[in-house]
Amino acid sequence: MLALTLETPTWAHRLPAGAKMAAMALVMVAVLPASNVPVIAALVGVTAALYASLGAVAVRRGLRLLRPLALVVAVILAWHWWMDAVQQGALICLRILGLVALANLVTMTTRLDDMMAVIEWLLGPLRRVGVNPAALSLALALTIRCIPVLLGKAGALAEAWRARSPRRPGVRVAVPLALAALDDAERISEALRARGGIPRAQQPDRRRKRGTEWNDR
Amino acid sequence: MHRTHGIDLSEVSVTHDGRRALGPLSLRLSEARIGIVGRNGSGKSTLLRVIAGLVTPDAGAVRVAGADVVRDRAAALRAVGILFQNPDHQIIFPTVIEEVAFGLTQLGAPRAEARRRAAEVLEAQGRAGWADRSTHALSQGQRQFLCLLAVLAMAPQTIVLDEPFTGLDIPTRLQLGRAIAGLSQQVVMVTHDVALLEGFDRVLWLDGGELRGDGPAATVLAAFTDAMQAEGARDPCWP
């Protein structure tokens, strides 16, 4: 399952989402051009200290979320070892791990709709050119919500396959899975329509009117 | 807009791929508890979706609490809420509080106020601890209950339910059944379990998209059960 947000509140949960995301962006801008030992050591040290201050659950979750990077890190290290530049390779890997861990930390301690509010605010100016920030943030929420549902569907299809075949399912379940996803999409759109359709961006002056016009045909 | 309570269908018909799925049907539903029974494919779910304004009839008009639920979606939200059979087809958001607050922002509440009122709804139902839970981590029954809370938060006049008890264990079924029985709203429920409809004010029996029975629960359910037993006793003639 996709449990991005830590459920037990910590001090980091109380910081405003915008502040955490701005700090994250600043750190990235600062660290990316300066890949020397002190900067990377500081990045890794501070990130580790932040995780430690949130408790053992956060540390475990943080390490687990880094696992998908193992392959990338291994390839980079192997390449640099081959090129006889192990130190440089190690710095690059630590930079990736440190920045991703830091970004995960922001995700883990920020509620999705708070993050969406910041993104909506950032995208606000695009409203002039016809972009609906509220629709974008809804799409984001739907994606996160649907990943575990789709994984469950894939698991069920694989199980149905294995119940009647000695071979492994492999890619042959991809088409039925895609069809199931389309069917789900149709039902979700119905559920969305049942509760007012795709939201409009929040505009203080015409708050009472927004929300449901999209579907008023 | 004239204010009336209940559901008005006049000469409603729905076709799917050229085949008539429902109607023509004219009904005035003003009772507090209405059940809908019928075999698979008899048009029960289509009728519910018509009432909720999710399916546009090919002919006829539908009004709930005076609102044209198909065209005036803003008014429809206050008139009718729908609970689907599978909560996974209904839950849009990753956390409980967002799921409940969504409908409130759709009704025009600012984000912070929607969040606060959603928390009140959870509190009132003894589920304050759920606010930050992941919707995926809830059990099937809990997810179905969450869907009901999300609909209740929007305070519609009528709630329609499409086989809400499917796949639930007996205690969850009883708890959800009690929650539904206690609602002050008008309830329209589709179910295969006739025992759940005992004590309902009115039961509609659909067959091939048409009304085969309509009346007090005891009378309609007795006739329905007899007919179903008789049809079930015959061997199937699947093509």
Side-chain angles (χ1 to χ4, degrees):
Chain A
M1 82 168 241
L2 196 80
L4 288 174
T5 312
L6 275 183
E7 289 188 1
T8 37
T10 64
W11 62 268
H13 284 79
R14 287 190 291 275
L15 299 177
K20 278 183 281 191
M21 289 165 79
M24 183 66 225
L26 281 178
V27 169
M28 279 195 177
V29 170
V31 168
L32 279 178
S35 284
N36 52 36
V37 176
V39 168
I40 300 299
L43 171 71
V44 172
V46 168
T47 306
L50 285 173
Y51 268 97
S53 77
L54 297 179
V57 178
V59 174
R60 266 200 306 276
R61 179 83 58 85
L63 288 174
R64 207 181 61 210
L65 287 173
L66 286 180
R67 221 161 30 190
L69 287 178
L71 184 67
V72 178
V73 166
V75 169
I76 293 174
L77 278 180
W79 171 254
H80 283 85
W81 176 76
W82 176 256
M83 298 297 284
D84 211 16
V86 174
Q87 198 205 353
Q88 199 197 347
L91 278 181
I92 292 174
C93 290
L94 285 175
R95 187 176 72 188
I96 294 174
L97 291 172
L99 286 178
V100 172
L102 206 55
N104 285 341
L105 194 72
V106 174
T107 314
M108 278 160 57
T109 59
T110 310
R111 232 197 325 230
L112 183 74
D113 59 349
D114 289 335
M115 210 159 347
M116 275 162 39
V118 176
I119 291 169
E120 267 177 54
W121 177 76
L122 285 172
L123 292 174
L126 291 181
R127 210 177 291 138
R128 282 170 219 281
V129 292
V131 174
N132 179 359
L136 282 178
S137 65
L138 177 74
L140 197 71
L142 268 178
T143 307
I144 292 180
R145 157 80 189 124
C146 288
I147 287 171
V149 175
L150 269 184
L151 287 176
K153 282 254 148 76
L157 276 174
E159 218 164 57
W161 174 287
R162 278 203 309 272
R164 283 173 289 162
S165 165
R167 283 195 295 276
R168 289 166 54 81
V171 293
R172 303 266 295 274
V173 295
V175 171
L177 182 61
L179 291 176
L182 286 176
D183 184 54
D184 273 5
E186 205 153 289
R187 288 166 191 277
I188 293 261
S189 78
E190 192 176 48
L192 206 50
R193 180 163 156 78
R195 282 191 288 161
I198 293 175
R200 293 243 167 145
Q202 200 135 32
Q203 284 166 321
D205 48 332
R206 40 196 297 269
R207 208 170 257 161
R208 290 279 140 207
K209 272 204 57 90
R210 56 166 272 289
T212 56
E213 293 149 274
W214 184 80
N215 273 324
D216 296 352
R217 281 170 296 171
Chain B
M1 192 174 75
H2 59 105
R3 284 240 142 254
T4 53
H5 284 287
I7 302 159
D8 264 310
L9 294 123
S10 56
E11 291 300 314
V12 168
S13 64
V14 178
T15 45
H16 289 323
D17 304 323
R19 203 178 55 84
R20 174 152 294 169
L22 189 69
L25 207 57
S26 290
L27 282 169
R28 162 110 193 94
L29 306 172
S30 53
E31 294 78 4
R33 293 291 181 268
I34 295 168
I36 303 177
V37 294
R39 296 194 63 174
N40 295 331
S42 59
K44 307 185 297 293
S45 292
T46 305
L47 177 56
L48 274 198
R49 281 167 169 73
V50 165
I51 293 173
L54 299 175
V55 165
T56 310
D58 296 284
V62 191
R63 285 186 173 273
V64 181
D68 180 343
V69 289
V70 174
R71 276 160 208 93
D72 186 358
R73 291 300 299 161
L77 293 188
R78 295 174 194 283
V80 57
I82 183 166
L83 199 67
F84 296 105
Q85 186 176 347
N86 183 347
D88 282 334
H89 292 149
Q90 181 149 7
I91 296 175
I92 302 171
F93 287 91
T95 64
V96 170
I97 191 86
E98 291 168 272
E99 179 65 20
V100 179
F102 175 69
L104 296 168
T105 59
Q106 292 286 77
L107 288 175
R111 202 183 282 266
E113 194 199 321
R115 178 90 66 87
R116 188 179 53 72
R117 275 165 51 198
E120 283 170 9
V121 169
L122 291 177
E123 175 99 53
Q125 298 286 338
R127 298 292 190 281
W130 278 16
D132 290 322
R133 297 265 297 267
S134 153
T135 49
H136 189 67
L138 300 176
S139 72
Q140 164 108 3
Q142 290 173 327
R143 286 205 295 277
Q144 192 62 282
F145 190 65
L146 167 63
C147 291
L148 181 63
L149 291 185
V151 169
L152 284 180
M154 298 174 77
Q157 183 227 269
T158 297
I159 295 182
V160 300
L161 309 107
D162 191 0
E163 295 180 37
F165 301 101
T166 308
L168 301 184
D169 61 29
I170 295 169
T172 316
R173 194 182 260 255
L174 292 172
Q175 286 156 2
L176 189 65
R178 249 197 332 274
I180 292 170
L183 295 176
S184 59
Q185 274 89 354
Q186 181 185 31
V187 168
V188 181
M189 181 159 82
V190 164
T191 180
H192 285 298
D193 189 348
V194 292
L196 291 166
L197 299 178
E198 279 165 22
F200 268 45
D201 303 310
R202 183 174 176 185
V203 172
L204 310 175
W205 171 11
L206 287 180
D207 190 0
E210 287 169 11
L211 216 50
R212 183 161 161 192
D214 178 5
T219 330
V220 177
L221 292 178
F224 173 71
T225 310
D226 286 347
M228 292 305 105
Q229 299 283 1
E231 285 176 40
R234 288 200 300 272
D235 281 329
C237 48
W238 287 316

